[in-house]
Amino acid sequence: MLYKVVCLLLSVSSTGSFVVDVTQSSYQAEENHNITLEWTFTTKPDTSISALKIRCRLITDQKPSTLYYLYYGVEFSEVQDEEFSGRVQSDKDALREGRIRLQLSRLRTEDSGLYLCEVDTGYGRGYNSCRVTVSESRPGKTETTQQPGSLQPPELKDETKGISLSGRLAIVGAVFICISLISWGFMFYQNCKEHSS
């Protein structure tokens, strides 16, 4: 019984050390300009890029759109939604340092929304998001402005469902946590079952 309790504590405590963070929570830019979105994640010295699974998506009221997909260290542009085709560049060297850097070029007003990036390293999973607001370009203005990371994104409401976007993300997060706990519980059960036989 003591072994089972120790196994449970170790499995729970080891998962709590993995963090996905966003360097800036809000970006503002104009059409036809570029921005660089950046997330950081906890790394271990011996982690290879070939162990990484990363999916970054734009979440809007219409539908989620994939802008970046990395599976076991290999980028799959065919998974990328058409509206991002040829407009997203990633920095593979930054991945080795635990940073996801995506340059989104030729911005459109339709690029506005919540950008969610999910990371699985094999030793931890997590996600984080930032908000991008793209306004119509003004004549004579040529520079992209990025707001400091301390700004909080505005609350969006989907009038047809009455649930805010952050509320829906909270539900998705809760489902993700439940699935993770069930998976960890199953692995713990299997591990303890093997050791008790």
Side-chain angles (χ1 to χ4, degrees):
M1 179 65 178
L2 179 63
Y3 173 76
K4 291 179 181 180
V5 171
V6 170
C7 282
L8 178 62
L9 289 174
L10 286 175
S11 68
V12 170
S13 66
S14 66
T15 59
S17 61
F18 184 78
V19 176
V20 176
D21 220 343
V22 63
T23 58
Q24 203 171 306
S25 63
S26 181
Y27 296 82
Q28 291 186 356
E30 289 186 358
E31 283 182 303
N32 298 316
H33 290 106
N34 305 334
I35 58 171
T36 301
L37 307 174
E38 187 170 337
W39 291 264
T40 60
F41 57 94
T42 309
T43 59
K44 290 185 176 180
D46 57 343
T47 302
S48 166
I49 288 180
S50 62
L52 294 176
K53 292 185 270 185
I54 299 171
R55 183 176 193 161
C56 299
R57 295 180 291 166
L58 166 62
I59 311 290
T60 63
D61 289 337
Q62 287 74 37
K63 68 177 182 90
S65 303
T66 300
L67 71 141
Y68 181 72
Y69 188 71
L70 182 87
Y71 191 74
Y72 289 113
V74 178
E75 289 181 9
F76 284 91
S77 58
E78 53 271 5
V79 177
Q80 185 180 60
D81 279 271
E82 189 176 309
E83 68 255 34
F84 293 112
S85 182
R87 299 194 305 127
V88 178
Q89 296 290 321
S90 68
D91 182 350
K92 275 235 174 177
D93 292 329
L95 289 174
R96 290 180 181 84
E97 302 164 0
R99 293 183 303 131
I100 302 163
R101 290 177 47 88
L102 301 176
Q103 183 181 33
L104 182 55
S105 59
R106 299 184 310 280
L107 288 170
R108 307 169 183 164
T109 55
E110 306 87 55
D111 293 332
S112 295
L114 191 73
Y115 285 76
L116 176 75
C117 201
E118 302 162 284
V119 180
D120 182 346
T121 60
Y123 57 83
R125 282 183 234 152
Y127 64 92
N128 211 325
S129 62
C130 62
R131 173 141 333 265
V132 173
T133 304
V134 181
S135 58
E136 291 181 10
S137 59
R138 295 180 296 208
K141 178 115 169 131
T142 58
E143 219 172 279
T144 299
T145 340
Q146 295 184 358
Q147 298 298 321
S150 61
L151 294 178
Q152 294 301 313
E155 190 76 14
L156 292 181
K157 275 252 187 207
D158 180 351
E159 299 302 327
T160 59
K161 297 188 175 134
I163 300 174
S164 68
L165 185 57
S166 61
R168 283 186 267 159
L169 283 176
I171 292 169
V172 169
V175 169
F176 176 78
I177 289 169
C178 289
I179 291 171
S180 296
L181 288 174
I182 291 169
S183 299
W184 292 326
F186 181 74
M187 290 186 305
F188 170 74
Y189 171 76
Q190 291 295 329
N191 190 21
C192 290
K193 187 175 161 184
E194 289 174 10
H195 283 67
S196 64
S197 358

